[in-house]
Amino acid sequence: MTTIERPTSSLVGAALPLDALAHVPKTDAPQKPKDYTSDQEVRWCPG
């Protein structure tokens, strides 16, 4: 069996910088049902 070396400088559990969410769009407008609808057909696959 082989061992997997993991880097010690991973971001797991690390605090994010304060500007981490700077590129997330922000809006004060209320969301509407139209924001969550689509004209695409729903396709299901067995799984």
Side-chain angles (χ1 to χ4, degrees):
M1 195 184 308
T2 61
T3 60
I4 299 173
E5 296 293 326
R6 296 185 183 196
T8 57
S9 62
S10 69
L11 294 176
V12 176
L16 295 175
L18 293 177
D19 63 345
L21 299 176
H23 299 290
V24 175
K26 299 177 189 120
T27 181
D28 291 331
Q31 296 177 341
K32 301 175 184 169
K34 181 182 173 187
D35 296 332
Y36 295 97
T37 58
S38 173
D39 60 349
Q40 296 182 355
E41 177 184 350
V42 176
R43 298 179 68 190
W44 300 95
C45 63

